[in-house]
Amino acid sequence: MVGVLIEMKRAIARAKARGKVKWGLLALAVFALTLAVGTLLTGFAHYSHPGAGGDVLAILSLGWLIGWVSGPVLAGDDSTLRMDYFKLLPIPPRKLAYAMLGAAFVNSSLLFSGIAFLSLVAYGAQFGVAGALIGAAAVVLMLVLAVVSSQVAIGIFGPVVSSRRGRDFGALLAALVITMLSLASSLVPLVASKLTKGDAPVLAAVVRILPTGWGAVAVDAVRTSDWGMVALALGGLLLLIVVQIAIWPALLSRRLVMSAGGSSKSKARNKPHTARAVTGSSLIPATPLGGVIGKELRLYSRSMLRFLSLLIALVVGLLACLIPALSGGTTMLPFAGLLFTLIAGATCTNLHGDEGSALWLLLVTPGVERADIRGRQYAWLLIVAPIGLLLTLVLTAVSGQTWAWPWVLGGEPALIGGAAGLIVWTSVLTMFPLDAGGAPTPGRQVKVNLLVPVMALTTAPPLVLLILGTVGDNTALTWAAVPVGILSGVLLSWGLGRDSYRRLGKRGPELLSKVAKPA
């Protein structure tokens, strides 16, 4: 049966790829090959600190195994051998489970992972033939662990990630990972230096204790002739594989009787219906303005695009200022709140365009333009302002940079108020609808990127005073930037909001024509 599934998998893959040049897959293959070769070369490196090679390979193995396990979350369920193909066939679940597990080894990713894990053989060869043989055994066990762990992850998360909400979560996770990797590039040299010099004993111990590092632990134990540790590490890998193989049939049986959403239909029907959501109705007034505020607050938690924008703003704002602090530089810490506010504002400058033809509901309700604009401003302020101010106050105090207090206390209010005005003003100035799949279009992305420096200019009034006070060594002038920043933020938020609802009332039908889709 394994052979039948392998042929089925190959036939479906050939049919999908026929007559098409998959440039994206080709680029991904080149990138994976580059990573694999780079990992392999680390196995030949020699370090002054004993055991540093094992630490480096342990953390690299962790990265590769995370890729195998997180793949189902990012890419969704297997598109070739889907569970729907087998639900109605009279095949015993255990037999089907082991057959699908065997077919999972026909995977092009194994080639790249095999090249990467050969670094264990190269590292073990530095200690003789025995080390190379132990490295080869570790390579086999690591590859089997990768495939089995990936299948178990599919069994657990498959029903969820195959749904629309799951695909949205996968997109969120992918964007978050890409953002973190782009910011963490400056952290890689620091981590590598500390591992190779033996200055990070806690990190080295953690990556060795994790199962992903047991292969490197087994090879490194040959260096000290600790054969008991060799047996323990390899035996642990083998035991982990056996345990996952044992639970795989149960996971697959569960998949065969589940609905696409990850639960039985009967449970979904019997789930108690909550007619009234907790919306804080006692705090939000029962007016058109209160209705808009409540709707916007729900969107920030339910819309994946809104939530993703705020999450990326928080991650980028924190990491961009925390990563330099790891090497001793705390100058950037006070400005994490400003950076978060800046990105959170720029990513929310297409509010009406993101909602598409829902603008029609606003246009057919007379006299609600002001409530719509002000409600969007208040909701954004309720979510972003507390986080930005908290980051500013806490990280400035922790950093010990006392000179930064007038800079952040003047700049943060000005930026919060300016962003609250710009998000609605630019939303009615230009609108870019989402594409057919609900994803941002290139035009929207360009708009967001262009508005980052524009939004930063809202800090100009207090910034002028800060620069003049610093250059002239005038403390009073420097601290005068704080009330100026507050006043500037209030005026920008009020003035741009006022122009926004007037513009929306005059140009509403014209703007609707840009975002409405034909029937």
Coordinates of all heavy atoms in Angstrom, one line a residue, residues 28 94 127 143 216 254 280 286 313 332 339 351 392 469-470 473 496 499:
L28 N 12.8 29.1 -3.8 CA 12.8 28.5 -2.5 C 13.8 27.3 -2.4 O 14.5 27.1 -1.4 CB 11.4 28.0 -2.1 CG 11.2 27.4 -0.7 CD1 11.5 28.4 0.3 CD2 9.8 26.8 -0.6
R94 N -5.2 1.9 11.2 CA -3.8 1.7 11.5 C -3.0 1.4 10.2 O -1.9 1.9 10.1 CB -3.7 0.5 12.5 CG -2.3 0.2 13.0 CD -2.3 -0.8 14.1 NE -3.0 -0.2 15.3 CZ -2.3 0.5 16.2 NH1 -1.0 0.7 16.1 NH2 -2.9 0.9 17.3
F127 N 37.0 13.5 15.2 CA 37.3 12.7 16.3 C 37.6 11.2 15.9 O 37.7 10.3 16.7 CB 36.3 12.7 17.4 CG 35.7 14.1 17.6 CD1 34.4 14.3 17.6 CD2 36.6 15.1 18.0 CE1 33.9 15.6 17.8 CE2 36.1 16.4 18.2 CZ 34.7 16.6 18.1
L143 N 16.7 12.6 10.5 CA 15.9 12.7 9.4 C 14.5 12.0 9.6 O 13.5 12.4 9.3 CB 16.6 12.1 8.2 CG 17.7 12.9 7.6 CD1 18.4 12.1 6.5 CD2 17.3 14.2 7.1
A216 N 23.7 16.1 18.0 CA 24.9 16.8 18.2 C 25.6 16.4 19.5 O 26.8 16.3 19.6 CB 24.7 18.3 18.2
R254 N -8.6 10.0 14.4 CA -9.3 11.2 14.8 C -9.5 12.1 13.6 O -10.6 12.7 13.5 CB -8.5 11.9 15.9 CG -9.0 13.2 16.4 CD -8.2 13.7 17.6 NE -8.4 15.1 17.8 CZ -7.7 16.1 17.3 NH1 -6.7 15.9 16.5 NH2 -8.0 17.4 17.6
G280 N -18.5 45.4 26.5 CA -18.4 46.6 27.4 C -19.4 47.6 27.1 O -19.2 48.8 27.1
A286 N -24.7 54.2 23.8 CA -25.6 53.7 22.8 C -26.0 54.8 21.8 O -27.1 55.2 21.6 CB -26.9 53.1 23.4
A313 N 3.7 45.6 14.4 CA 4.2 46.9 15.0 C 4.8 46.7 16.3 O 5.9 47.2 16.7 CB 3.1 47.9 15.1
M332 N 18.6 53.0 22.3 CA 17.4 52.9 21.6 C 16.2 52.4 22.4 O 15.0 52.6 22.0 CB 17.6 51.8 20.4 CG 18.5 52.3 19.3 SD 17.7 53.7 18.4 CE 16.3 52.9 17.8
L339 N 8.4 53.9 18.0 CA 8.5 53.1 16.8 C 7.3 52.2 16.7 O 6.7 52.1 15.6 CB 9.8 52.2 16.9 CG 10.1 51.4 15.7 CD1 10.1 52.2 14.4 CD2 11.3 50.6 15.8
L351 N -8.2 52.2 6.3 CA -9.3 51.6 7.0 C -10.5 51.4 6.1 O -11.1 50.3 6.1 CB -9.6 52.5 8.2 CG -8.5 52.6 9.3 CD1 -9.0 53.5 10.4 CD2 -8.2 51.2 9.8
T392 N 7.0 53.3 26.3 CA 7.8 54.5 26.5 C 8.3 54.7 27.9 O 9.5 54.9 28.2 CB 7.1 55.7 26.0 OG1 6.8 55.6 24.6 CG2 8.0 57.0 26.1
G469 N 16.9 73.3 22.3 CA 17.2 73.2 23.7 C 18.5 72.4 23.9 O 19.3 72.8 24.8
T470 N 18.7 71.4 23.2 CA 19.9 70.5 23.4 C 21.2 71.3 22.9 O 22.2 71.3 23.5 CB 19.8 69.2 22.6 OG1 18.6 68.5 23.1 CG2 21.0 68.3 22.9
D473 N 21.9 74.1 25.2 CA 22.0 73.7 26.6 C 21.0 74.4 27.4 O 21.3 74.9 28.5 CB 23.4 73.9 27.1 CG 23.7 73.1 28.4 OD1 22.9 72.2 28.6 OD2 24.6 73.5 29.1
L496 N -7.3 67.0 11.5 CA -7.4 66.0 10.4 C -8.6 65.2 10.4 O -9.2 64.8 9.4 CB -6.1 65.1 10.4 CG -4.8 65.8 10.1 CD1 -3.6 64.8 10.4 CD2 -4.8 66.3 8.7
D499 N -11.4 67.4 8.9 CA -11.3 67.5 7.4 C -11.7 66.1 6.8 O -12.3 66.1 5.7 CB -9.9 67.8 7.0 CG -9.8 68.0 5.5 OD1 -10.3 69.0 4.9 OD2 -9.1 67.1 4.8

